[in-house]
Amino acid sequence: MTEPAGGQPAWIVDDPSVVTPEWMTAALRRGGTDTEIVGLRHEPVGGGQLSSSHRFHLDVHPDSADSAPSSVVLKLAAGTPEGRGQIAPGYRSEVGYYTKVRPPGRSRATQPRRPARPVLEQAGPHQRRRLATPDRRSRSQLPRRNPHRGHRAVPRPVPGPSLPTDTDTLHRTADHFARWGRHVSTRHTLIHGDYRLDNLLFTESHEVTAIDWQSLEIGFPGRDVAYFLATALPPALRRAQEKNLVRAYHEQLTQMGVDDYPLDDCFHDYRLGTPQAPLLTVLGSAYATNEPTENSDRMFLSMITNACAAIHDLGTLDLLGSHAR
């Protein structure tokens, strides 16, 4: 693509209305799809708070119809320049994932019937490179954030109509963040960081593709598993299925060659990972670059309510207290 007078590459856009068929053709060809787009239309999709997503329906030239998707989703930066500056590391992390860790794949999204098991089985592949201290090259390519260092930036919850009734668990969890940060530094692997249902696509055969890698880092493995189960499942369903689901995740790791990670340790790490849910929920609502909506408020409330129940049921705060130094 050519560069305009301002020096910004023409393929970097933040307004879906400026995306032309020529732009889309070039973007798809850069990704390896040899096609020609002759027309398009778009609509907003999703409820992202740190970016905006738009589905583009594509009119394809007849000569290349077999090789082109019927639609694509374009993810764009959102919010004010100041807001974008605050979360710029997240944008870099996501680009880094697709350019250095895993090339983007094509996936047809559908509504899952029984998503939890395949979702946790899919968490295994990006964590199979071991629950150990990464080598120097890995450290240089991926962020490694310590929750202990960032806990002071997490605002303490204030009771109000938009918060769950269990504010005591929220306050106690905030008080434990420093201790939690120390105890999730024992094992490391690649983690998604925001591994929740809204960031997962399902094929018609129930294969799972994770998107939204803005929170990518080298961190504690239990955080992804706990964050998903603690936010995605209603408490009663989670209580009934969590042991089986963590076992399925552990079996996937074992099949991939992780042979020195006992199931009991895996479930312990799941319990220890549950503060990831209030951490990401609070940070997501506090640093959102998009204006809050009724849907986003409802999403955050559901996530934090389910997370409080998980922290309480699993005795996570007691577990942290038993590790006090």
PDB file of all heavy atoms in Angstrom, residues 289-320:
ATOM      1  N   THR A 289     -11.960   2.170  26.749  1.00  0.00           N
ATOM      2  CA  THR A 289     -11.877   3.347  25.880  1.00  0.00           C
ATOM      3  C   THR A 289     -13.204   3.645  25.206  1.00  0.00           C
ATOM      4  O   THR A 289     -13.417   4.752  24.724  1.00  0.00           O
ATOM      5  CB  THR A 289     -10.794   3.139  24.804  1.00  0.00           C
ATOM      6  OG1 THR A 289     -11.048   1.915  24.098  1.00  0.00           O
ATOM      7  CG2 THR A 289      -9.415   3.062  25.438  1.00  0.00           C
ATOM      8  N   ASN A 290     -14.086   2.655  25.135  1.00  0.00           N
ATOM      9  CA  ASN A 290     -15.427   2.870  24.599  1.00  0.00           C
ATOM     10  C   ASN A 290     -16.369   3.327  25.709  1.00  0.00           C
ATOM     11  O   ASN A 290     -16.151   3.047  26.890  1.00  0.00           O
ATOM     12  CB  ASN A 290     -15.971   1.583  23.973  1.00  0.00           C
ATOM     13  CG  ASN A 290     -15.416   1.351  22.581  1.00  0.00           C
ATOM     14  OD1 ASN A 290     -15.068   2.303  21.883  1.00  0.00           O
ATOM     15  ND2 ASN A 290     -15.321   0.091  22.179  1.00  0.00           N
ATOM     16  N   GLU A 291     -17.434   4.014  25.325  1.00  0.00           N
ATOM     17  CA  GLU A 291     -18.441   4.418  26.294  1.00  0.00           C
ATOM     18  C   GLU A 291     -19.180   3.182  26.814  1.00  0.00           C
ATOM     19  O   GLU A 291     -19.487   2.264  26.052  1.00  0.00           O
ATOM     20  CB  GLU A 291     -19.445   5.375  25.648  1.00  0.00           C
ATOM     21  CG  GLU A 291     -18.887   6.755  25.354  1.00  0.00           C
ATOM     22  CD  GLU A 291     -18.504   7.499  26.628  1.00  0.00           C
ATOM     23  OE1 GLU A 291     -19.257   7.383  27.624  1.00  0.00           O
ATOM     24  OE2 GLU A 291     -17.462   8.175  26.626  1.00  0.00           O
ATOM     25  N   PRO A 292     -19.443   3.123  28.128  1.00  0.00           N
ATOM     26  CA  PRO A 292     -20.183   1.972  28.663  1.00  0.00           C
ATOM     27  C   PRO A 292     -21.597   1.920  28.099  1.00  0.00           C
ATOM     28  O   PRO A 292     -22.192   2.945  27.766  1.00  0.00           O
ATOM     29  CB  PRO A 292     -20.196   2.228  30.171  1.00  0.00           C
ATOM     30  CG  PRO A 292     -19.984   3.703  30.320  1.00  0.00           C
ATOM     31  CD  PRO A 292     -19.109   4.108  29.175  1.00  0.00           C
ATOM     32  N   THR A 293     -22.097   0.713  27.960  1.00  0.00           N
ATOM     33  CA  THR A 293     -23.453   0.498  27.470  1.00  0.00           C
ATOM     34  C   THR A 293     -24.190  -0.398  28.460  1.00  0.00           C
ATOM     35  O   THR A 293     -23.598  -0.958  29.389  1.00  0.00           O
ATOM     36  CB  THR A 293     -23.443  -0.181  26.093  1.00  0.00           C
ATOM     37  OG1 THR A 293     -22.876  -1.502  26.236  1.00  0.00           O
ATOM     38  CG2 THR A 293     -22.618   0.619  25.087  1.00  0.00           C
ATOM     39  N   GLU A 294     -25.483  -0.531  28.240  1.00  0.00           N
ATOM     40  CA  GLU A 294     -26.260  -1.425  29.100  1.00  0.00           C
ATOM     41  C   GLU A 294     -25.729  -2.849  29.008  1.00  0.00           C
ATOM     42  O   GLU A 294     -25.646  -3.568  30.012  1.00  0.00           O
ATOM     43  CB  GLU A 294     -27.731  -1.372  28.690  1.00  0.00           C
ATOM     44  CG  GLU A 294     -28.638  -2.231  29.565  1.00  0.00           C
ATOM     45  CD  GLU A 294     -30.094  -2.144  29.155  1.00  0.00           C
ATOM     46  OE1 GLU A 294     -30.439  -1.227  28.376  1.00  0.00           O
ATOM     47  OE2 GLU A 294     -30.887  -2.995  29.607  1.00  0.00           O
ATOM     48  N   ASN A 295     -25.348  -3.274  27.793  1.00  0.00           N
ATOM     49  CA  ASN A 295     -24.807  -4.626  27.624  1.00  0.00           C
ATOM     50  C   ASN A 295     -23.475  -4.793  28.338  1.00  0.00           C
ATOM     51  O   ASN A 295     -23.222  -5.830  28.972  1.00  0.00           O
ATOM     52  CB  ASN A 295     -24.641  -4.940  26.135  1.00  0.00           C
ATOM     53  CG  ASN A 295     -25.956  -5.247  25.458  1.00  0.00           C
ATOM     54  OD1 ASN A 295     -26.945  -5.572  26.128  1.00  0.00           O
ATOM     55  ND2 ASN A 295     -25.984  -5.138  24.140  1.00  0.00           N
ATOM     56  N   SER A 296     -22.589  -3.796  28.241  1.00  0.00           N
ATOM     57  CA  SER A 296     -21.294  -3.925  28.897  1.00  0.00           C
ATOM     58  C   SER A 296     -21.444  -3.920  30.412  1.00  0.00           C
ATOM     59  O   SER A 296     -20.763  -4.665  31.121  1.00  0.00           O
ATOM     60  CB  SER A 296     -20.341  -2.810  28.452  1.00  0.00           C
ATOM     61  OG  SER A 296     -20.792  -1.535  28.896  1.00  0.00           O
ATOM     62  N   ASP A 297     -22.353  -3.102  30.926  1.00  0.00           N
ATOM     63  CA  ASP A 297     -22.602  -3.092  32.369  1.00  0.00           C
ATOM     64  C   ASP A 297     -23.126  -4.453  32.834  1.00  0.00           C
ATOM     65  O   ASP A 297     -22.705  -4.965  33.880  1.00  0.00           O
ATOM     66  CB  ASP A 297     -23.611  -2.008  32.734  1.00  0.00           C
ATOM     67  CG  ASP A 297     -23.031  -0.603  32.635  1.00  0.00           C
ATOM     68  OD1 ASP A 297     -21.787  -0.485  32.554  1.00  0.00           O
ATOM     69  OD2 ASP A 297     -23.818   0.368  32.630  1.00  0.00           O
ATOM     70  N   ARG A 298     -24.031  -5.004  32.052  1.00  0.00           N
ATOM     71  CA  ARG A 298     -24.587  -6.310  32.410  1.00  0.00           C
ATOM     72  C   ARG A 298     -23.505  -7.389  32.349  1.00  0.00           C
ATOM     73  O   ARG A 298     -23.457  -8.293  33.203  1.00  0.00           O
ATOM     74  CB  ARG A 298     -25.748  -6.649  31.486  1.00  0.00           C
ATOM     75  CG  ARG A 298     -26.485  -7.928  31.866  1.00  0.00           C
ATOM     76  CD  ARG A 298     -27.840  -8.031  31.186  1.00  0.00           C
ATOM     77  NE  ARG A 298     -27.730  -7.897  29.744  1.00  0.00           N
ATOM     78  CZ  ARG A 298     -28.251  -6.878  29.060  1.00  0.00           C
ATOM     79  NH1 ARG A 298     -28.866  -5.891  29.692  1.00  0.00           N
ATOM     80  NH2 ARG A 298     -28.139  -6.828  27.756  1.00  0.00           N
ATOM     81  N   MET A 299     -22.613  -7.302  31.356  1.00  0.00           N
ATOM     82  CA  MET A 299     -21.529  -8.276  31.236  1.00  0.00           C
ATOM     83  C   MET A 299     -20.598  -8.212  32.445  1.00  0.00           C
ATOM     84  O   MET A 299     -20.268  -9.236  33.058  1.00  0.00           O
ATOM     85  CB  MET A 299     -20.733  -8.014  29.957  1.00  0.00           C
ATOM     86  CG  MET A 299     -19.519  -8.914  29.784  1.00  0.00           C
ATOM     87  SD  MET A 299     -18.460  -8.413  28.387  1.00  0.00           S
ATOM     88  CE  MET A 299     -17.711  -6.904  29.054  1.00  0.00           C
ATOM     89  N   PHE A 300     -20.158  -6.988  32.801  1.00  0.00           N
ATOM     90  CA  PHE A 300     -19.248  -6.846  33.933  1.00  0.00           C
ATOM     91  C   PHE A 300     -19.903  -7.309  35.236  1.00  0.00           C
ATOM     92  O   PHE A 300     -19.263  -7.945  36.075  1.00  0.00           O
ATOM     93  CB  PHE A 300     -18.784  -5.396  34.069  1.00  0.00           C
ATOM     94  CG  PHE A 300     -17.756  -4.985  33.061  1.00  0.00           C
ATOM     95  CD1 PHE A 300     -17.915  -3.822  32.313  1.00  0.00           C
ATOM     96  CD2 PHE A 300     -16.627  -5.750  32.854  1.00  0.00           C
ATOM     97  CE1 PHE A 300     -16.959  -3.433  31.385  1.00  0.00           C
ATOM     98  CE2 PHE A 300     -15.657  -5.379  31.924  1.00  0.00           C
ATOM     99  CZ  PHE A 300     -15.824  -4.210  31.187  1.00  0.00           C
ATOM    100  N   LEU A 301     -21.178  -7.005  35.404  1.00  0.00           N
ATOM    101  CA  LEU A 301     -21.870  -7.417  36.619  1.00  0.00           C
ATOM    102  C   LEU A 301     -21.961  -8.938  36.709  1.00  0.00           C
ATOM    103  O   LEU A 301     -21.739  -9.531  37.772  1.00  0.00           O
ATOM    104  CB  LEU A 301     -23.264  -6.799  36.659  1.00  0.00           C
ATOM    105  CG  LEU A 301     -24.121  -7.163  37.876  1.00  0.00           C
ATOM    106  CD1 LEU A 301     -23.436  -6.744  39.164  1.00  0.00           C
ATOM    107  CD2 LEU A 301     -25.503  -6.525  37.764  1.00  0.00           C
ATOM    108  N   SER A 302     -22.284  -9.580  35.580  1.00  0.00           N
ATOM    109  CA  SER A 302     -22.350 -11.042  35.560  1.00  0.00           C
ATOM    110  C   SER A 302     -20.995 -11.651  35.874  1.00  0.00           C
ATOM    111  O   SER A 302     -20.883 -12.599  36.672  1.00  0.00           O
ATOM    112  CB  SER A 302     -22.840 -11.523  34.191  1.00  0.00           C
ATOM    113  OG  SER A 302     -22.755 -12.929  34.086  1.00  0.00           O
ATOM    114  N   MET A 303     -19.937 -11.120  35.262  1.00  0.00           N
ATOM    115  CA  MET A 303     -18.601 -11.655  35.480  1.00  0.00           C
ATOM    116  C   MET A 303     -18.174 -11.535  36.940  1.00  0.00           C
ATOM    117  O   MET A 303     -17.659 -12.482  37.539  1.00  0.00           O
ATOM    118  CB  MET A 303     -17.595 -10.932  34.573  1.00  0.00           C
ATOM    119  CG  MET A 303     -17.750 -11.253  33.098  1.00  0.00           C
ATOM    120  SD  MET A 303     -16.703 -10.205  32.049  1.00  0.00           S
ATOM    121  CE  MET A 303     -15.062 -10.702  32.601  1.00  0.00           C
ATOM    122  N   ILE A 304     -18.381 -10.362  37.528  1.00  0.00           N
ATOM    123  CA  ILE A 304     -17.903 -10.148  38.884  1.00  0.00           C
ATOM    124  C   ILE A 304     -18.742 -10.932  39.893  1.00  0.00           C
ATOM    125  O   ILE A 304     -18.229 -11.425  40.898  1.00  0.00           O
ATOM    126  CB  ILE A 304     -17.883  -8.644  39.228  1.00  0.00           C
ATOM    127  CG1 ILE A 304     -16.879  -8.363  40.351  1.00  0.00           C
ATOM    128  CG2 ILE A 304     -19.244  -8.127  39.583  1.00  0.00           C
ATOM    129  CD1 ILE A 304     -15.447  -8.547  39.978  1.00  0.00           C
ATOM    130  N   THR A 305     -20.041 -11.095  39.614  1.00  0.00           N
ATOM    131  CA  THR A 305     -20.894 -11.888  40.498  1.00  0.00           C
ATOM    132  C   THR A 305     -20.459 -13.345  40.494  1.00  0.00           C
ATOM    133  O   THR A 305     -20.314 -13.978  41.554  1.00  0.00           O
ATOM    134  CB  THR A 305     -22.366 -11.773  40.067  1.00  0.00           C
ATOM    135  OG1 THR A 305     -22.770 -10.405  40.135  1.00  0.00           O
ATOM    136  CG2 THR A 305     -23.266 -12.613  40.961  1.00  0.00           C
ATOM    137  N   ASN A 306     -20.264 -13.904  39.301  1.00  0.00           N
ATOM    138  CA  ASN A 306     -19.810 -15.288  39.198  1.00  0.00           C
ATOM    139  C   ASN A 306     -18.425 -15.475  39.804  1.00  0.00           C
ATOM    140  O   ASN A 306     -18.135 -16.495  40.432  1.00  0.00           O
ATOM    141  CB  ASN A 306     -19.803 -15.733  37.733  1.00  0.00           C
ATOM    142  CG  ASN A 306     -21.191 -15.864  37.150  1.00  0.00           C
ATOM    143  OD1 ASN A 306     -22.181 -15.840  37.881  1.00  0.00           O
ATOM    144  ND2 ASN A 306     -21.272 -15.996  35.838  1.00  0.00           N
ATOM    145  N   ALA A 307     -17.547 -14.465  39.621  1.00  0.00           N
ATOM    146  CA  ALA A 307     -16.187 -14.566  40.152  1.00  0.00           C
ATOM    147  C   ALA A 307     -16.189 -14.587  41.675  1.00  0.00           C
ATOM    148  O   ALA A 307     -15.448 -15.356  42.299  1.00  0.00           O
ATOM    149  CB  ALA A 307     -15.342 -13.407  39.636  1.00  0.00           C
ATOM    150  N   CYS A 308     -16.999 -13.744  42.281  1.00  0.00           N
ATOM    151  CA  CYS A 308     -17.082 -13.728  43.746  1.00  0.00           C
ATOM    152  C   CYS A 308     -17.532 -15.082  44.268  1.00  0.00           C
ATOM    153  O   CYS A 308     -17.007 -15.580  45.282  1.00  0.00           O
ATOM    154  CB  CYS A 308     -18.040 -12.636  44.210  1.00  0.00           C
ATOM    155  SG  CYS A 308     -17.386 -10.962  44.083  1.00  0.00           S
ATOM    156  N   ALA A 309     -18.504 -15.695  43.592  1.00  0.00           N
ATOM    157  CA  ALA A 309     -18.984 -17.006  44.021  1.00  0.00           C
ATOM    158  C   ALA A 309     -17.874 -18.050  43.922  1.00  0.00           C
ATOM    159  O   ALA A 309     -17.720 -18.899  44.815  1.00  0.00           O
ATOM    160  CB  ALA A 309     -20.189 -17.423  43.179  1.00  0.00           C
ATOM    161  N   ALA A 310     -17.072 -17.992  42.852  1.00  0.00           N
ATOM    162  CA  ALA A 310     -15.991 -18.958  42.685  1.00  0.00           C
ATOM    163  C   ALA A 310     -14.919 -18.784  43.754  1.00  0.00           C
ATOM    164  O   ALA A 310     -14.413 -19.764  44.322  1.00  0.00           O
ATOM    165  CB  ALA A 310     -15.380 -18.826  41.292  1.00  0.00           C
ATOM    166  N   ILE A 311     -14.536 -17.552  44.018  1.00  0.00           N
ATOM    167  CA  ILE A 311     -13.523 -17.287  45.041  1.00  0.00           C
ATOM    168  C   ILE A 311     -13.994 -17.798  46.400  1.00  0.00           C
ATOM    169  O   ILE A 311     -13.229 -18.399  47.161  1.00  0.00           O
ATOM    170  CB  ILE A 311     -13.212 -15.779  45.096  1.00  0.00           C
ATOM    171  CG1 ILE A 311     -12.467 -15.360  43.833  1.00  0.00           C
ATOM    172  CG2 ILE A 311     -12.404 -15.418  46.336  1.00  0.00           C
ATOM    173  CD1 ILE A 311     -12.313 -13.859  43.674  1.00  0.00           C
ATOM    174  N   HIS A 312     -15.276 -17.589  46.684  1.00  0.00           N
ATOM    175  CA  HIS A 312     -15.839 -18.050  47.954  1.00  0.00           C
ATOM    176  C   HIS A 312     -15.902 -19.584  47.995  1.00  0.00           C
ATOM    177  O   HIS A 312     -15.460 -20.214  48.966  1.00  0.00           O
ATOM    178  CB  HIS A 312     -17.231 -17.449  48.143  1.00  0.00           C
ATOM    179  CG  HIS A 312     -17.893 -17.843  49.425  1.00  0.00           C
ATOM    180  ND1 HIS A 312     -18.686 -18.967  49.528  1.00  0.00           N
ATOM    181  CD2 HIS A 312     -17.875 -17.277  50.660  1.00  0.00           C
ATOM    182  CE1 HIS A 312     -19.120 -19.088  50.766  1.00  0.00           C
ATOM    183  NE2 HIS A 312     -18.657 -18.067  51.464  1.00  0.00           N
ATOM    184  N   ASP A 313     -16.452 -20.208  46.938  1.00  0.00           N
ATOM    185  CA  ASP A 313     -16.639 -21.660  46.924  1.00  0.00           C
ATOM    186  C   ASP A 313     -15.318 -22.415  47.006  1.00  0.00           C
ATOM    187  O   ASP A 313     -15.228 -23.460  47.665  1.00  0.00           O
ATOM    188  CB  ASP A 313     -17.370 -22.090  45.650  1.00  0.00           C
ATOM    189  CG  ASP A 313     -18.806 -21.601  45.604  1.00  0.00           C
ATOM    190  OD1 ASP A 313     -19.332 -21.213  46.661  1.00  0.00           O
ATOM    191  OD2 ASP A 313     -19.386 -21.596  44.496  1.00  0.00           O
ATOM    192  N   LEU A 314     -14.298 -21.910  46.322  1.00  0.00           N
ATOM    193  CA  LEU A 314     -13.015 -22.607  46.232  1.00  0.00           C
ATOM    194  C   LEU A 314     -12.078 -22.281  47.394  1.00  0.00           C
ATOM    195  O   LEU A 314     -10.970 -22.820  47.458  1.00  0.00           O
ATOM    196  CB  LEU A 314     -12.339 -22.274  44.897  1.00  0.00           C
ATOM    197  CG  LEU A 314     -13.047 -22.840  43.667  1.00  0.00           C
ATOM    198  CD1 LEU A 314     -12.554 -22.160  42.396  1.00  0.00           C
ATOM    199  CD2 LEU A 314     -12.837 -24.351  43.576  1.00  0.00           C
ATOM    200  N   GLY A 315     -12.508 -21.396  48.275  1.00  0.00           N
ATOM    201  CA  GLY A 315     -11.673 -21.062  49.427  1.00  0.00           C
ATOM    202  C   GLY A 315     -10.357 -20.418  49.042  1.00  0.00           C
ATOM    203  O   GLY A 315      -9.339 -20.625  49.710  1.00  0.00           O
ATOM    204  N   THR A 316     -10.377 -19.632  47.973  1.00  0.00           N
ATOM    205  CA  THR A 316      -9.128 -19.057  47.472  1.00  0.00           C
ATOM    206  C   THR A 316      -8.474 -18.117  48.482  1.00  0.00           C
ATOM    207  O   THR A 316      -7.250 -18.148  48.666  1.00  0.00           O
ATOM    208  CB  THR A 316      -9.381 -18.309  46.150  1.00  0.00           C
ATOM    209  OG1 THR A 316      -9.906 -19.227  45.193  1.00  0.00           O
ATOM    210  CG2 THR A 316      -8.088 -17.715  45.614  1.00  0.00           C
ATOM    211  N   LEU A 317      -9.257 -17.316  49.154  1.00  0.00           N
ATOM    212  CA  LEU A 317      -8.667 -16.367  50.098  1.00  0.00           C
ATOM    213  C   LEU A 317      -8.090 -17.095  51.312  1.00  0.00           C
ATOM    214  O   LEU A 317      -7.042 -16.696  51.843  1.00  0.00           O
ATOM    215  CB  LEU A 317      -9.709 -15.333  50.522  1.00  0.00           C
ATOM    216  CG  LEU A 317     -10.287 -14.498  49.380  1.00  0.00           C
ATOM    217  CD1 LEU A 317     -11.263 -13.456  49.912  1.00  0.00           C
ATOM    218  CD2 LEU A 317      -9.179 -13.828  48.560  1.00  0.00           C
ATOM    219  N   ASP A 318      -8.739 -18.173  51.737  1.00  0.00           N
ATOM    220  CA  ASP A 318      -8.177 -18.990  52.802  1.00  0.00           C
ATOM    221  C   ASP A 318      -6.890 -19.658  52.333  1.00  0.00           C
ATOM    222  O   ASP A 318      -5.932 -19.811  53.104  1.00  0.00           O
ATOM    223  CB  ASP A 318      -9.174 -20.060  53.254  1.00  0.00           C
ATOM    224  CG  ASP A 318     -10.393 -19.472  53.946  1.00  0.00           C
ATOM    225  OD1 ASP A 318     -10.274 -18.330  54.470  1.00  0.00           O
ATOM    226  OD2 ASP A 318     -11.459 -20.116  53.922  1.00  0.00           O
ATOM    227  N   LEU A 319      -6.863 -20.062  51.065  1.00  0.00           N
ATOM    228  CA  LEU A 319      -5.667 -20.673  50.505  1.00  0.00           C
ATOM    229  C   LEU A 319      -4.507 -19.684  50.517  1.00  0.00           C
ATOM    230  O   LEU A 319      -3.385 -20.026  50.891  1.00  0.00           O
ATOM    231  CB  LEU A 319      -5.943 -21.138  49.067  1.00  0.00           C
ATOM    232  CG  LEU A 319      -4.822 -21.862  48.337  1.00  0.00           C
ATOM    233  CD1 LEU A 319      -4.495 -23.188  49.007  1.00  0.00           C
ATOM    234  CD2 LEU A 319      -5.214 -22.106  46.869  1.00  0.00           C
ATOM    235  N   LEU A 320      -4.772 -18.444  50.139  1.00  0.00           N
ATOM    236  CA  LEU A 320      -3.740 -17.421  50.175  1.00  0.00           C
ATOM    237  C   LEU A 320      -3.300 -17.149  51.601  1.00  0.00           C
ATOM    238  O   LEU A 320      -2.113 -16.960  51.866  1.00  0.00           O
ATOM    239  CB  LEU A 320      -4.253 -16.135  49.522  1.00  0.00           C
ATOM    240  CG  LEU A 320      -4.426 -16.168  48.010  1.00  0.00           C
ATOM    241  CD1 LEU A 320      -5.114 -14.901  47.528  1.00  0.00           C
ATOM    242  CD2 LEU A 320      -3.082 -16.336  47.320  1.00  0.00           C
TER     243      LEU A 320
END
